[in-house]
Amino acid sequence: MTDTDTGAATATGDDWRAWQESWDRQQEWYMPDREDRFRIMLDMVEAFVGPDPRVLDLACGTGSITARLLDRFPQATSTGIDLDPALLTIARGTFAGDGRVTLVEADLKDPDWPARLPYDTYDAVLTATALHWLRRETLEVLYGQVARLVRHGGVFMNADHMVDDSTPRINAVEAAYSRARRDRALQSGALDWAEWWDRAAKDPVLAGPTARRFEIYGAHADGEMPSPAWHARVLRERGFAEVRPVWCSPSDTLLLALK
């Protein structure tokens, strides 16, 4: 199956580029260094598996990784997998008619989700700001499934919030600074998470998918944010040979696991 500005500008209907831009601005409200993460992620893709990779965009959302992948590597192919009906609607609209992209709707908590993919193996599995929606026991199973999907010499990369509980004072100061920065951005017209979803819920094209999305997830999933060390240990236990951070910010880490 081949299937937004400060964030305050209005994306409506099937203007998929505007929805993508609105989503990006809303995400950047939380993560001002988001593009740095994507750049380093794609640098590592090129370094390890070359400029025409077969990629699995895990928990793809609107296809943020896929869009940047194809812009940089036009010969790449991407399989995006997600459960969110609203974000998948935007992804399908964005990549409609692009034979390089396959979108799959599936629940990563379902043990059979890999069977829905078009390929048995991938050069790279990439994910960003998504797996903190899952709890540790679910992540442990997922990492084993991912390890079986990555070919020998391929990579898995996860860019996400990873909290080190051994540094509570540092964490508290960073969190307070980030809250103050986000508050200033809101005063300048940025959209936060709740406002973005409120606009999607009122849009005639996205209203139905958004309602289904909140039936699935509620306001927010009951996930966890383990430390980079926890992620690295579990990835090694589940079949990766080497794992370490290749980028970090005060709150986020991009972890690379080599098969």
Side-chain angles (χ1 to χ4, degrees):
M1 175 182 61
T2 302
D3 284 332
T4 268
D5 95 301
T6 61
T10 302
T12 59
D14 58 358
D15 186 345
W16 305 120
R17 175 172 293 189
W19 279 114
Q20 289 283 2
E21 291 177 354
S22 178
W23 178 258
D24 283 344
R25 301 295 84 76
Q26 178 262 125
Q27 289 286 285
E28 287 167 1
W29 177 70
Y30 291 97
M31 298 164 289
D33 44 20
R34 182 170 177 254
E35 291 301 326
D36 290 339
R37 300 191 313 169
F38 289 139
R39 177 180 58 81
I40 296 299
M41 178 181 280
L42 295 182
D43 284 350
M44 294 298 97
V45 168
E46 184 174 19
F48 282 92
V49 300
D52 57 351
R54 177 193 294 170
V55 169
L56 175 60
D57 187 349
L58 191 71
C60 65
T62 66
S64 298
I65 291 174
T66 292
R68 289 157 178 80
L69 173 80
L70 298 180
D71 281 347
R72 179 160 168 179
F73 307 122
Q75 301 306 311
T77 58
S78 180
T79 302
I81 184 168
D82 207 302
L83 183 62
D84 189 310
L87 299 186
L88 278 176
T89 296
I90 296 172
R92 290 188 181 109
T94 300
F95 301 107
D98 192 331
R100 299 170 297 176
V101 180
T102 301
L103 294 170
V104 176
E105 185 170 349
D107 187 350
L108 296 180
K109 296 178 182 178
D110 179 348
D112 296 326
W113 68 264
R116 306 193 62 181
L117 301 175
Y119 303 106
D120 293 331
T121 60
Y122 288 85
D123 300 310
V125 177
L126 310 177
T127 188
T129 324
L131 300 189
H132 67 274
W133 285 67
L134 303 176
R135 299 195 68 80
R136 294 179 193 226
E137 56 270 22
T138 305
L139 263 178
E140 289 176 357
V141 174
L142 180 69
Y143 280 167
Q145 294 169 311
V146 168
R148 291 188 288 274
L149 287 167
V150 176
R151 68 162 173 83
H152 181 73
V155 294
F156 166 65
M157 280 182 272
N158 179 16
D160 209 346
H161 313 310
M162 299 183 189
V163 177
D164 186 344
D165 290 333
S166 70
T167 59
R169 292 167 60 200
I170 295 173
N171 298 349
V173 171
E174 187 280 326
Y177 180 84
S178 294
R179 281 195 300 270
R181 176 189 54 76
R182 292 196 297 269
D183 288 344
R184 291 193 299 271
L186 286 177
Q187 293 170 8
S188 299
L191 288 183
D192 64 11
W193 172 267
E195 264 190 297
W196 191 91
W197 281 109
D198 184 61
R199 292 193 180 193
K202 293 175 180 176
D203 184 83
V205 174
L206 287 180
T210 298
R212 293 195 299 275
R213 182 243 182 238
F214 280 96
E215 289 173 3
I216 294 169
Y217 292 110
H220 202 289
D222 183 25
E224 293 184 275
M225 291 181 280
S227 69
W230 182 92
H231 287 274
R233 175 182 60 78
V234 173
L235 285 164
R236 290 190 187 97
E237 291 173 352
R238 297 292 167 158
F240 287 94
E242 299 178 16
V243 187
R244 75 167 177 86
V246 291
W247 176 91
C248 68
S249 73
S251 61
D252 284 22
T253 296
L254 171 58
L255 208 65
L256 184 149
L258 176 65
K259 186 72 179 287

